[in-house]
Amino acid sequence: MVIENTIKDGGNTVKTDITILQQPNVPKMLHKLAPRVIESSYWWKKQRDTMLVEQDMCCKACGIQVDHRSKLDLHEEYHINYQEGYSDVKGMVGLCKDCHSFIHNGLLFIRAKNGEISFDRANYIFRRGFTLLKEAGLEPNHSAAVHYVELLNHFGKNPSKGLINRAFELTQAQSPVSINKNWNEWHLRWKGKKYYSLFTDIEDWKENVATRKYERTTI
C-alpha cells in the first residue's frame, strides 16, 4: 500500500509506504550482519546523504518531515526466506526515530527493560505504530504485538486478555510453516555475495551477541 502525502511546509509531494512498519524482526541467525557493517562508514554516509535529499527530510513510513538530519535514520529493508535460510536486502529508506524503533521492536523492548528509555516512551512508540497501521487497515507484524505484551508484563501493566489473544492469533497466522533450523546455512545476500551467520546456535547467540561482530576486510 503506497500512500501519497503532501508535506505542507515545503509543498512537496512525498510518497510514503506504511507497510514498512510491518517488516518482521531480523532473525537472530543474521544479527550483526547488514550492509552498514559490511561496507565502509564512508559508503554508509553517502547512502544516508542521498536518502535525506531524495526524501526531502521526510520519513518514508509515516511521512513526517523532520527539522534536522539527525532525526532521520537510514534503514535496510529485507526479504527473508525462512525455508531456505537467507535474507535479501530490498533497499534502504529513511525513517523517523519512532517508526524505526517500532520496526526494531525487540530492541525497543530490551532498551526499555534495561532502563535505557522509559516505559512511557516505549509505550508511546508501540501505540503510535499500531495506530498508524490500524488507520491504514493493516495488521502489525506479530513480533510487535508479542514484544508489546512483554513490555506491559515487565512493567506490571497487566495487558488485557484480548491483547494477549491477539498477539497469539497474529503469531499463529504469520509464523512461517517451516524454518531452516541450521544456523550455519543462514546467510545475508548482498551484492552477489553471501555473508553467513556469526552464530552456531541459540546458545552461542545468547553468549556472544553483545560482543561478536562482523570483521570487514579491507583491500
Side-chain angles (χ1 to χ4, degrees):
M1 176 183 291
V2 177
I3 307 169
E4 286 192 358
N5 290 330
T6 300
I7 307 304
K8 295 181 180 180
D9 292 342
N12 299 316
T13 299
V14 178
K15 289 184 178 179
T16 62
D17 183 3
I18 202 68
T19 62
I20 294 171
L21 296 184
Q22 295 178 303
Q23 183 173 306
N25 290 175
V26 174
K28 290 181 174 62
M29 304 83 158
L30 298 180
H31 283 185
K32 302 301 184 80
L33 285 179
R36 69 181 67 202
V37 296
I38 293 171
E39 303 288 352
S40 67
S41 58
Y42 173 76
W43 177 89
W44 184 253
K45 182 180 182 299
K46 282 188 64 176
Q47 307 310 307
R48 190 168 183 274
D49 288 344
T50 298
M51 171 274 294
L52 291 168
V53 173
E54 291 180 346
Q55 293 184 201
D56 193 28
M57 301 285 283
C58 295
C59 176
K60 188 68 173 178
C62 71
I64 189 174
Q65 190 170 40
V66 300
D67 58 7
H68 193 274
R69 59 185 289 122
S70 64
K71 297 181 181 179
L72 212 61
D73 296 335
L74 186 59
H75 169 75
E76 300 104 334
E77 290 190 280
Y78 297 97
H79 167 72
I80 302 169
N81 187 316
Y82 293 94
Q83 290 73 39
E84 296 183 31
Y86 69 85
S87 176
D88 272 320
V89 181
K90 293 166 51 180
M92 288 173 280
V93 295
L95 300 175
C96 68
K97 298 293 185 182
D98 290 343
C99 285
H100 199 201
S101 292
F102 181 78
I103 292 173
H104 293 286
N105 44 74
L107 179 59
L108 176 59
F109 166 63
I110 291 173
R111 291 186 65 209
K113 182 180 177 180
N114 292 342
E116 297 174 32
I117 61 173
S118 67
F119 165 78
D120 288 343
R121 179 63 180 151
N123 185 53
Y124 167 79
I125 293 171
F126 271 109
R127 293 179 67 87
R128 176 183 181 273
F130 292 139
T131 298
L132 288 170
L133 287 168
K134 184 177 181 180
E135 289 175 348
L138 300 172
E139 296 280 13
N141 186 272
H142 69 278
S143 64
V146 169
H147 286 128
Y148 186 51
V149 169
E150 290 181 338
L151 177 78
L152 296 177
N153 277 326
H154 180 77
F155 286 92
K157 302 299 182 179
N158 299 320
S160 68
K161 187 175 181 179
L163 178 59
I164 295 173
N165 289 341
R166 189 64 187 132
F168 176 77
E169 290 170 357
L170 288 171
T171 300
Q172 292 295 105
Q174 297 175 7
S175 293
V177 176
S178 61
I179 300 177
N180 186 335
K181 301 297 184 182
N182 190 341
W183 285 52
N184 292 323
E185 294 179 357
W186 273 87
H187 60 276
L188 169 71
R189 296 182 176 183
W190 173 244
K191 291 186 175 181
K193 295 183 179 180
K194 297 179 180 179
Y195 298 86
Y196 285 88
S197 176
L198 302 179
F199 310 97
T200 57
D201 54 35
I202 188 63
E203 294 305 319
D204 184 27
W205 178 88
K206 289 178 180 178
E207 292 178 9
N208 297 294
V209 68
T211 57
R212 192 169 295 171
K213 62 181 181 179
Y214 171 78
E215 297 292 343
R216 184 171 63 88
T217 57
T218 56
I219 299 175

